[in-house]
Amino acid sequence: MINKKYLLLLSTFLVVSFASINLQSQTGEPLILEGIDRIYKIEFDSAEAIFDKVISDYPFDPEGYFFKAMVQWWRIYINRGTEDNDKEFFLRVDKVIEVTNNILEKDPNDAKALFYKGGAIGYRGLLRSIRSSWLNAASDGREALNLIEDASKINPENPDIIFGMGIYNYFAEFVPEKYPMLKPLMIIFPKGDRVKGLLQINQAIQNSHYARIEAENILGYINLRYEKNFNAAEIQFRNLHNKFPNNPIFEGDLGRALIGQSKWADALVVWKSVVGKSDSGLAGYKNLELKRDANYYTALTLLKLNRTTEAESFSVQAIELSEEIDDDDNAFKSYAYLHAGEIFGRNGKTGKAREYFDKVLTMENFNNIHEEANRLKLQF
């Protein structure tokens, strides 16, 4: 059985895989590039001011409106557990559609308007899928795909177009093959090509104008979660983290790539950094799920490094945050209890350790975790 959150991520990329396409601006390019940089630095207010300037200078072009919507999207993306930013995002998408429709009424073959309209609708579908509005998300995905296909016929060599095609090609083949339950969702979408998709995304990293950072982020995401190529994911996310050291997405995924390679000492440095930024309330890190993950992985790395006394407080914090975030039991929560039991057991606190193992045994048997809990319970 696929974890609901994992299924959501798969569906998200599948349904709206053209969301990251951008066109090179012929108007406010320097300002747009600066604004994009501010988004990745999680400097949202500054980015918004820049795109307001672009809108003021070029009120009939879609770029400023689109990227202002993307500022709101990143506010949502780094903290998907709250819907506080949704309404404003939908309003900004509506404005992009209005501006692009005005252009397309005069010239239905305007590639830039087609792309930005498709991108805005794609992101709207992405949010709708996150909020489990599946039919609306699929409808947006199909409309976005049609718009992008029309634009690609006009300008097929644009590297940002190639990036979007790469995302689609990869997920349209990979997801339904690995998860057959998603095949009905693919009926309305064309067939993909996983290998070609990876090549296209790599090509975008080398040549894309606006979407280069996003292309590297997506390729790292694919390598981390689907290809299980943790070494490649580490390279991509380390590069992104070096450029944007206070971006929680890039830093967290770097830590996960290191965990995937059992690079415990390196992973500890990253996750302790995330804990510190989360505790200090740094912009972008005020996120309970990220804070829970950071405490969990810090405890895990300390356990693997045999620093179990130090690991105790992080493991307890991870459990407390898991209980606060998740009403239902899940694999993450069960492993938080399992590792806490092992940590306390190694520290000689066998009573507490067995309490944690017994808690695991009351939960669903994720990945045969009950067998491991019983084994460790006998050990301590």
Side-chain angles (χ1 to χ4, degrees), residues 46-58:
S46 296
E48 204 155 86
I50 289 170
F51 295 129
D52 281 337
K53 169 66 174 169
V54 174
I55 291 170
S56 176
D57 291 346
Y58 308 100

Side-chain angles (χ1 to χ4, degrees), residues 142-204:
R142 179 69 262 188
E143 184 176 0
L145 178 57
N146 288 338
L147 289 162
I148 299 306
E149 286 180 331
D150 289 344
S152 68
K153 295 173 185 176
I154 300 168
N155 192 358
E157 299 303 318
N158 184 286
D160 293 325
I161 299 173
I162 292 170
F163 170 45
M165 296 300 295
I167 299 174
Y168 181 81
N169 276 324
Y170 179 86
F171 283 101
E173 178 179 330
F174 175 83
V175 172
E177 286 186 358
K178 190 169 182 63
Y179 303 100
M181 69 177 64
L182 295 179
K183 284 185 178 180
L185 186 65
M186 289 302 299
I187 293 174
I188 62 173
F189 293 95
K191 185 178 180 180
D193 186 330
R194 174 173 162 269
V195 174
K196 183 178 180 180
L198 290 172
L199 291 173
Q200 289 172 317
I201 297 170
N202 272 292
Q203 186 177 348

Side-chain angles (χ1 to χ4, degrees), residues 32-50:
I32 290 173
L33 289 172
E34 182 181 352
I36 291 171
D37 188 71
R38 296 292 180 89
I39 291 176
Y40 288 123
K41 289 179 178 176
I42 318 299
E43 298 174 1
F44 296 141
D45 290 344
S46 296
E48 204 155 86
I50 289 170

Side-chain angles (χ1 to χ4, degrees), residues 121-147:
I121 292 172
Y123 270 109
R124 186 177 68 188
L126 174 54
L127 180 54
R128 284 173 167 172
S129 70
I130 289 173
R131 303 307 183 213
S132 299
S133 181
W134 302 111
L135 291 178
N136 286 330
S139 176
D140 279 346
R142 179 69 262 188
E143 184 176 0
L145 178 57
N146 288 338
L147 289 162

Side-chain angles (χ1 to χ4, degrees), residues 199-253:
L199 291 173
Q200 289 172 317
I201 297 170
N202 272 292
Q203 186 177 348
I205 293 173
Q206 300 302 317
N207 301 316
S208 180
H209 187 68
Y210 285 163
R212 184 172 298 173
I213 296 298
E214 194 62 27
E216 191 161 14
N217 178 32
I218 292 298
L219 185 60
Y221 187 97
I222 287 171
N223 281 322
L224 177 64
R225 288 171 171 82
Y226 306 117
E227 296 296 308
K228 305 300 180 184
N229 187 344
F230 299 117
N231 180 64
E234 179 194 348
I235 292 170
Q236 280 128 23
F237 285 118
R238 192 175 292 284
N239 183 43
L240 291 169
H241 178 56
N242 287 340
K243 292 176 182 175
F244 305 101
N246 291 322
N247 183 304
I249 301 297
F250 302 156
E251 188 167 21
D253 280 344

